[in-house]
Amino acid sequence: MKKTIRILALVFAAAITIGLFSACGSNDSGNQLVFGTNAEFPPFESVAADGVISSVDGTQKFDGIDMVIANKIGEKYGKTAVINNMEFDSLLVALKNGQIDACIAGMTITEERKESVDFSIPYYTATQVMIVKEDADIKKASDLEGKKISVVQGYTGETVVKELGFEYETFKKGTECILELVNGKCDAVVIDSATAEKYVADNEGLIIVKDAEAFESEEYGIAVAKGNTELLEQINAAIQEMLDDGTISSLAVQYTEEA
Ligand code: GLN
């Protein structure tokens, strides 16, 4: 009897030891490079069961142009890139708090954001566009006057519409804006070009209206905490390499074609 107990105790101890070791292995945050994103922005980032990158705790996966870029930066840095998915509005605060190492979220480099974080070199050029119903009489930005406009809170789309002086309503997600439009509750959604294309491909009866004069081009960058030059240099080197060898442009084609 005593022997059985001793054997059981040994087995138990071994199990705990193995358990502890494997727990260490899967939770080795020292070797992780944590990217913050808001996975509501296809083709740059979205939740995907068969995605290319995992959440910090390994329970979720994500796919998109930014997600592949994050992986490549991780590889170059000798770390495993992982994702902390949060609201877009929380990203810059999370950087400041050290909750994430970098932010990759189709984020436009703006003077205002530069006051609180440092940005990498640009890796993608976009512009705001209008999504309207096929039969709408909106052909240019000035036609938005008096119309019901939906934008996502905190996106540059909101800033642009505000600067143009139009009234608008904000939503938490791009998909919520699109639902408003599809249901006839608003007349136009102002959002980034590549994401707009994805939404138009997924929803019948919608078209994109561009107005290059009203909407200036924007450049996406990866943000790090102010003064984190070591990481920023690594990120810049990785981006430069991916721009030079065509990785980013082929990713853009690949992920937009999937729309
Ligand atoms: N480019 C836009 C911005 O920076 C939208 C980004 C996003 O939704 N992820 O505000």
Side-chain angles (χ1 to χ4, degrees):
M1 184 64 183
K2 263 194 182 157
K3 202 173 172 191
T4 323
I5 290 174
R6 222 179 301 146
I7 290 172
L8 274 179
L10 273 176
V11 170
F12 192 61
I16 287 182
T17 316
I18 291 167
L20 276 179
F21 271 113
S22 55
C24 281
S26 64
N27 195 19
D28 186 0
S29 57
N31 201 38
Q32 288 186 338
L33 185 61
V34 184
F35 284 91
T37 200
N38 172 239
E40 298 279 350
F41 198 62
F44 292 89
E45 41 265 332
S46 46
V47 177
D50 57 350
V52 294
I53 190 167
S54 298
S55 55
V56 178
D57 62 5
T59 59
Q60 257 191 324
K61 284 198 163 181
F62 308 91
D63 202 5
I65 300 169
D66 283 347
M67 303 297 95
V68 178
I69 292 177
N71 267 341
K72 302 230 179 224
I73 292 170
E75 269 169 39
K76 201 169 163 69
Y77 205 52
K79 294 198 170 200
T80 309
V82 288
I83 293 297
N84 188 342
N85 185 23
M86 61 182 76
E87 287 194 1
F88 189 78
D89 268 354
S90 310
L91 285 165
L92 298 190
V93 181
L95 258 186
K96 275 193 182 174
N97 295 344
Q99 212 181 323
I100 53 177
D101 298 309
C103 159
I104 186 159
M107 185 176 274
T108 304
I109 304 171
T110 67
E111 289 308 315
E112 194 187 339
R113 290 174 181 159
K114 271 202 229 164
E115 283 171 19
S116 53
V117 293
D118 286 343
F119 276 101
S120 69
I121 54 170
Y123 65 92
Y124 189 87
T125 305
T127 177
Q128 297 300 310
V129 297
M130 297 167 276
I131 309 178
V132 300
K133 283 203 169 159
E134 254 162 11
D135 54 0
D137 56 354
I138 299 172
K139 309 284 176 223
K140 51 187 185 314
S142 57
D143 296 334
L144 290 175
E145 179 78 62
K147 295 283 197 295
K148 282 191 137 186
I149 309 167
S150 299
V151 294
V152 187
Q153 189 182 326
Y155 281 21
T156 38
E158 180 183 5
T159 321
V160 165
V161 172
K162 195 191 279 176
E163 279 168 4
L164 288 172
F166 299 130
E167 297 277 312
Y168 59 85
E169 203 179 335
T170 58
F171 293 86
K172 284 266 175 216
K173 298 176 180 182
T175 45
E176 290 172 15
C177 295
I178 296 298
L179 206 61
E180 288 282 300
L181 182 61
V182 169
N183 293 338
K185 290 191 188 157
C186 77
D187 305 302
V189 174
V190 176
I191 199 160
D192 298 48
S193 39
T195 305
E197 271 164 39
K198 193 93 180 162
Y199 288 145
V200 166
D202 291 348
N203 294 275
E204 242 172 80
L206 303 183
I207 53 162
I208 290 177
V209 179
K210 299 181 181 172
D211 186 339
E213 272 174 45
F215 305 125
E216 287 171 7
S217 68
E218 300 182 7
E219 292 187 302
Y220 294 171
I222 299 173
V224 299
K226 263 212 169 305
N228 191 355
T229 41
E230 193 200 333
L231 180 56
L232 194 60
E233 276 166 21
Q234 294 275 353
I235 290 176
N236 280 341
I239 292 177
Q240 195 59 58
E241 208 174 293
M242 286 183 268
L243 287 171
D244 291 346
D245 69 8
T247 303
I248 294 184
S249 51
S250 54
L251 278 176
V253 172
Q254 181 196 330
Y255 279 93
T256 11
E257 271 173 1
E258 278 174 12

